[in-house]
Amino acid sequence: MDVFKFGGASVNSAEGVRNFCKIAQSYRSESLIVVSAMGKTTNALEQIVDNFFHKKTDLVQQQFVDIKTYHFGIINELFSKNDSASVDKINRLFDNLNVYLEKSASLNYEFEYDQIVAYGELISTTILSEYLRNKGVKNQWVDIRRYLKTNDTFGEAKVDWELSRQLLPTAFTFQDTFIYITQGFIGGTSSNLTTTLGREGSDYTAAILANVLDAQEVSILKDVPGVMNADPKWLPDAKQLKRISYQEAIELAFFGAKVIHPKTIQPIREKNIPMFVRSFINFHEQGTMVSTAAIEKSVKTPIFIQKKDQRLISIRPKDYSFIIEENLGPIFSMIAKHRLKVNLTQNSAISFSLCVDNSKNIDQLIEALKEDYEVRYNENLELITIRHYDDESINQMTEGRSILLEQKSRDTAQYVLECKV
Ligand code: ASP
Ligand code: MG
C-alpha cells in the first residue's frame, strides 16, 4: 500500500481536481490518499475563527459566504445535474458549519479553532471522493477523526499512538476498495472532539498513516519537481536534489526549508519507508527520494535556506556577570514561555545573542528580560543557512552585504544579514 498526500495548492481549482482524478485513476495498486483543504481555505477559516470568537457576527457570515462561493465555483464546474446526491452531501457540511457558527463560542479559543478549521479538510475530501466516484473511480471516504486519535491539546494535538495503532487498521482494510481518501491535519480525541495537528500538518498525517499501516512508500505531491537546493521563487536557478537522507531532510526542515514539514520524517524513518517529494503536474517523474541512503559526495551541492523577518536580540546581564548556566536557564524558560522559535544562538563572556522569527510575543519577551538584563535588538533581518557550504556559495550569499552574525559548523554556515534595500 502507498500513501499519497495532496496539498491545498494541488486541488485549488476545478483543473486541479481533474488532475487529481487523473493521477488517482492511473495508479494501479492500493493507495491511501491524504488531502489538505483547498487552496488557502485554512487561512480563510482561521479568520472566521477569530471573528467568531470575538462575536463579529457580520464578518463571520460574510467570510462564510466567501468560502462557500469559492468552493461552489469549483463544484459547479465539476458536477452536473445528475450528481445532485454528491452536491447535497457537500452542502450538508456547509450547513453543519453554518449551524456551528450561529451558536456562541466557548471560552476556549484553540478548541473553537479546531472545530471550525477542520471543515476545510472535511469539505475538500468530500468533493474529491464524490468527484472520483462520479467518474467511475471507486473509492472510500474515511473520517480520520474516528481513527487518528490525539490528546486534547487543541491547535497542536499530540498523537495517541497506542490508540491510533489499534483503530487505524480497522478503517483501512482494502477489502472493498483500492483507494481511500481521507483528511490530513485533523484528528479526534477519545471522546470524539475534533483536533488539529498544527498548521501544514497534512504531511505529518501521511507519515503517521504510513508508519501505522506499514506503507511501502509515501509520496508528497507539490508544485515543485522535488526538494530543490533553494526555494525557486527566491533563487530561480535552483536545482532539484535527486536523493537525500532522512537526516538531511530533518536538518533542512529544521533550518526552515518549507518543502517538508519538520514532524514528517520521524514516523517514516522509524519504519524505513522511502518518501518521494514530487510534482503533481509531472507526476510520473521520480522527484526527490528521501530514504536512509546518504547524499552521494558528488551531489553534495550547497543547499540554501532563507528565513525573512528575523530579529536579532542581544542580552547582557546588568551586573556584567558571565553568561553561564545560571543566566541561560532563566533566559530559555522565558523564551519558551513566550512560545518563540529560536533559529540561532551565540554567546560571548557577557552577552548572549539570539535570532528569532518576528512575532508580537517578542516585545513582551524583551520587556520581561529588561528587568535583569540590558537588551538590544535589530529587526527586519534575514537569516541565510547554507548546508554543505563552500567559499563560492558563501560569497554568493554575503557579498556586499552587512553581516550581523555568522556561525559555521562542519556542514552548515549561517548568516544574519541586513535586508537588501
Ligand atoms: N490545511 C492545513 C494548513 O493549511 C494543513 C496542511 O495544508 O497541511 O495548514
Ligand atoms: Mg494547506
Side-chain angles (χ1 to χ4, degrees):
M1 182 272 285
D2 295 338
V3 175
F4 295 87
K5 181 259 171 171
F6 283 80
S10 66
V11 289
N12 65 0
S13 63
E15 196 195 334
V17 177
R18 287 192 201 104
N19 179 52
F20 168 89
C21 181
K22 240 194 291 163
I23 295 174
Q25 246 170 336
S26 72
Y27 204 73
R28 289 278 159 244
S29 48
E30 296 177 341
S31 42
L32 197 175
I33 305 178
V34 175
V35 189
S36 307
M38 290 177 151
K40 302 256 177 260
T41 301
T42 307
N43 293 356
L45 286 165
E46 277 187 343
Q47 299 220 328
I48 291 199
V49 174
D50 213 58
N51 290 319
F52 173 68
F53 197 75
H54 295 107
K55 301 189 174 53
K56 296 181 186 159
T57 324
D58 292 350
L59 281 176
V60 170
Q61 266 317 309
Q62 178 56 48
Q63 288 163 338
F64 172 79
V65 170
D66 289 348
I67 290 180
K68 192 169 171 180
T69 308
Y70 163 65
H71 283 86
F72 269 84
I74 296 172
I75 292 162
N76 291 338
E77 263 195 62
L78 296 173
F79 295 90
S80 70
K81 289 233 159 51
N82 302 334
D83 305 325
S84 64
S86 299
V87 178
D88 286 349
K89 233 185 225 177
I90 301 160
N91 249 323
R92 234 169 290 141
L93 286 166
F94 280 103
D95 289 345
N96 293 349
L97 172 59
N98 201 19
V99 167
Y100 194 89
L101 295 174
E102 276 169 1
K103 294 191 199 145
S104 54
S106 72
L107 299 177
N108 184 340
Y109 189 96
E110 266 75 30
F111 169 80
E112 297 301 348
Y113 179 98
D114 287 2
Q115 310 317 300
I116 294 167
V117 162
Y119 275 94
E121 271 70 13
L122 293 171
I123 292 166
S124 67
T125 50
T126 306
I127 295 174
L128 294 174
S129 167
E130 291 299 312
Y131 180 70
L132 280 192
R133 208 159 48 81
N134 295 338
K135 291 279 162 213
V137 185
K138 194 173 167 198
N139 72 92
Q140 177 77 47
W141 182 88
V142 171
D143 183 343
I144 201 71
R145 297 172 299 176
R146 293 173 55 200
Y147 307 98
L148 203 173
K149 290 298 172 185
T150 70
N151 71 0
D152 62 0
T153 310
F154 296 105
E156 191 84 52
K158 299 275 164 306
V159 174
D160 182 334
W161 286 93
E162 207 182 309
L163 206 48
S164 303
R165 278 190 204 290
Q166 283 170 29
L167 295 172
L168 283 166
T170 66
F172 302 101
T173 59
F174 289 97
Q175 262 163 14
D176 308 312
T177 184
F178 267 131
I179 303 178
Y180 284 96
I181 296 188
T182 197
Q183 308 78 38
F185 175 55
I186 69 175
T189 66
S190 55
S191 41
N192 283 342
L193 296 171
T194 303
T195 53
T196 63
L197 305 174
R199 279 307 304 266
E200 307 300 331
S202 297
D203 292 3
Y204 183 41
T205 303
I208 297 165
L209 298 183
N211 174 305
V212 173
L213 302 167
D214 287 309
Q216 236 124 36
E217 58 179 66
V218 180
S219 286
I220 307 280
L221 293 131
K222 291 261 161 195
D223 55 359
V224 284
V227 179
M228 313 290 283
N229 79 327
D231 180 345
K233 286 177 202 133
W234 171 45
L235 301 180
D237 57 353
K239 291 189 285 289
Q240 188 197 325
L241 306 166
K242 293 286 177 208
R243 295 175 76 108
I244 58 172
S245 65
Y246 292 123
Q247 194 196 332
E248 185 70 31
I250 289 178
E251 298 283 4
L252 294 181
F254 171 80
F255 288 121
K258 288 192 204 75
V259 66
I260 305 165
H261 189 276
K263 285 186 193 161
T264 312
I265 304 302
Q266 203 276 331
I268 55 165
R269 195 205 55 83
E270 190 187 270
K271 292 264 177 100
N272 243 323
I273 302 167
M275 178 170 93
F276 294 89
V277 178
R278 51 163 59 118
S279 153
F280 57 74
I281 308 199
N282 302 311
F283 170 71
H284 293 288
E285 281 165 25
Q286 190 192 317
T288 301
M289 180 176 177
V290 184
S291 66
T292 33
I295 317 186
E296 299 157 47
K297 266 234 154 54
S298 58
V299 288
K300 265 201 174 179
T301 39
I303 304 174
F304 303 94
I305 303 155
Q306 178 196 41
K307 268 182 163 262
K308 288 189 194 164
D309 201 12
Q310 300 291 301
R311 274 212 228 181
L312 183 64
I313 306 176
S314 299
I315 303 162
R316 175 190 296 215
K318 280 186 178 158
D319 58 4
Y320 274 57
S321 61
F322 289 130
I323 285 278
I324 43 172
E325 290 74 4
E326 286 105 274
N327 284 318
L328 286 181
I331 291 175
F332 270 103
S333 55
M334 278 158 102
I335 292 168
K337 206 176 105 196
H338 289 84
R339 287 190 175 208
L340 294 174
K341 186 171 171 323
V342 177
N343 295 320
L344 188 143
T345 65
Q346 201 170 66
N347 71 296
S348 70
I350 54 165
S351 122
F352 178 67
S353 303
L354 51 113
C355 180
V356 284
D357 291 346
N358 197 15
S359 79
K360 37 184 195 285
N361 294 357
I362 294 182
D363 293 316
Q364 292 164 16
L365 170 75
I366 290 175
E367 281 317 304
L369 284 168
K370 274 186 176 164
E371 298 207 349
D372 297 307
Y373 305 93
E374 265 172 36
V375 185
R376 288 175 306 142
Y377 67 85
N378 295 69
E379 56 190 337
N380 199 16
L381 305 174
E382 202 173 84
L383 170 64
I384 290 184
T385 303
I386 314 172
R387 296 272 298 158
H388 318 298
Y389 60 88
D390 54 18
D391 291 345
E392 194 191 324
S393 54
I394 290 176
N395 261 339
Q396 189 188 337
M397 287 295 121
T398 60
E399 201 169 20
R401 301 195 56 185
S402 138
I403 302 174
L404 279 80
L405 195 147
E406 171 177 355
Q407 204 165 74
K408 270 189 198 165
S409 68
R410 195 143 41 108
D411 287 323
T412 311
Q414 292 192 287
Y415 296 89
V416 180
L417 302 165
E418 257 170 22
C419 273
K420 285 184 194 157
V421 269

